[in-house]
Amino acid sequence: MTTTGSASPYDPPADPAASAAAAAVEQTPPRTDRRVVLVTGASSGIGAATARRFAAGGWHLLLSGRDRRRLEETASGTSAVLLPADLAAPDGAKMLAEAALREAGRIDLLIAGAGIGWAGPFLTMPHTDIDRVLFLDLNATLHLVREVLPAMVAAGSGRVVLVGSVAGAVGVREEAVYSAAKAGLAAFAEALRQELRGTGVGVTLIVPGPVETGFFARRGRPYHRTHPRPTSAARVAAAVWDAVSEARDDTYIPSWLTLPARVRALTPGLYRRLLDRFG
Ligand SMILES: NC(=O)c1ccc[n+]([C@@H]2O[C@H](COP(=O)([O-])OP(=O)(O)OC[C@H]3O[C@@H](n4cnc5c(N)ncnc54)[C@H](OP(=O)(O)O)[C@@H]3O)[C@@H](O)[C@H]2O)c1
């Protein structure tokens, strides 16, 4: 697992003002008049649907995922640039950010959609899977944000969209590590938003409930609950579009999912009793 420090491919944390200034100097001139969005997880599901929504809205797309063929499907009919990358590789996020900035000269919006799940009793979870889920869903996302942010701050505008999960808001049984990773992302979003106040750069946390994508097949266990019912990736994409257009901080999809999150935050005892009763 990648750690920060001298052994990391990532630089140790630097003075933000100095990093922003350095980024401004290193930035190459913009190569497009259109706004530029870098979407990770663009080869499938939520990322693919969101990329298509932003293409329809006139944005220039930089699309990332591992599967080039499926990235080409997402890009079909657009002028998108494909930047295949394995974000689980130790320097994957750094290389992707560098390639994106080289390609487009700037990134106006990062939509960090790449993610994986794992379901089953925590007591049976292999250590390698703990690392795999935490690394991709949390660490790699944070490193990618760390890489793209200085140029946004230097430009005085931009937005980072993080794809969390309702699991991160309430904690879901037999998705303990996934819940932990998404809760980490939510706390990161909150903290980063405060740090970036006044810079012109915003942070949006997207909090979907279950969504009909390849996510469940890939994690090896289908979605089996009767509620909440899975929603479509297109609906999540529309919500991301609205959240970016309106510079929103958080968006739950569907919106009623804020309710269990609020009950848990305000009255955890009641929330647990309701869980015991209704599952
Ligand atoms: N589906 C749901 O119910 C649901 C609910 C809440 C939140 N979410 C979150 O939404 C996000 C997107 O999930 P989804 O439902 O769209 O799932 P998905 O269809 O399985 O898509 C996952 C995406 O992540 C990419 N990815 C996986 N491993 C990667 C790696 N090592 N390096 C780079 N990219 C990698 C995949 O790219 P390749 O296929 O090219 O490897 C794919 O594009 C995830 O963060 C997930 O946690 C999903």
Side-chain angles (χ1 to χ4, degrees):
M1 185 180 286
T2 300
T3 52
T4 50
S6 58
S8 169
Y10 298 93
D11 294 328
D15 170 37
S19 317
V25 172
E26 286 166 17
Q27 234 178 317
T28 48
R31 292 175 181 77
T32 172
D33 293 337
R34 290 185 292 156
R35 286 171 300 171
V36 177
V37 55
L38 170 60
V39 185
T40 71
S43 51
S44 180
I46 293 170
T50 303
R52 285 192 288 269
R53 179 64 190 87
F54 277 79
W59 286 63
H60 179 58
L61 304 181
L62 306 176
L63 301 181
S64 192
R66 286 174 305 179
D67 188 318
R68 175 173 272 279
R69 187 188 54 76
R70 282 193 277 108
L71 282 177
E72 282 166 0
E73 281 172 23
T74 305
S76 165
T78 76
S79 58
V81 173
L82 308 188
L83 299 172
D86 183 357
L87 291 173
D91 56 354
K94 183 181 174 73
M95 281 163 54
L96 173 59
E98 286 173 357
L101 285 167
R102 219 175 20 247
E103 183 59 47
R106 67 172 200 277
I107 299 167
D108 299 300
L109 173 64
L110 166 67
I111 300 177
I116 51 170
W118 193 95
F122 179 66
L123 283 176
T124 69
M125 187 171 187
H127 289 275
T128 49
D129 285 333
I130 296 176
D131 289 344
R132 213 167 49 83
V133 170
L134 284 178
F135 189 79
L136 186 69
D137 291 357
L138 188 58
N139 293 28
T141 303
L142 269 52
H143 284 301
L144 184 59
V145 173
R146 176 66 182 83
E147 292 293 323
V148 303
L149 214 45
M152 287 185 183
V153 171
S157 68
R159 179 158 294 271
V160 171
V161 174
L162 303 171
V163 181
S165 165
V166 72
V170 297
V172 171
R173 190 180 59 227
E174 301 202 344
E175 297 184 24
V177 174
Y178 180 71
S179 298
K182 294 297 186 178
L185 220 46
F188 172 67
E190 198 61 49
L192 186 63
R193 192 177 294 125
Q194 292 169 33
E195 281 188 39
L196 292 175
R197 197 170 295 142
T199 64
V201 180
V203 180
T204 296
L205 179 70
I206 300 294
V207 188
V211 188
E212 289 158 346
T213 68
F215 176 86
F216 298 103
R218 280 169 206 244
R219 78 175 184 180
R221 191 200 268 197
Y223 182 73
H224 59 79
R225 294 172 204 272
T226 48
H227 66 278
R229 295 237 304 273
T231 190
S232 71
R235 184 169 172 192
V236 179
V240 176
W241 173 265
D242 289 346
V244 170
S245 307
E246 294 159 21
R248 269 195 227 145
D249 289 341
D250 310 282
T251 292
Y252 283 65
I253 307 134
S255 53
W256 66 262
L257 277 176
T258 52
L259 189 63
R262 280 185 191 160
V263 173
R264 189 198 162 268
L266 293 172
T267 56
L270 172 64
Y271 178 77
R272 285 170 207 137
R273 282 200 297 282
L274 289 169
L275 262 192
D276 289 344
R277 178 126 189 232
F278 300 108

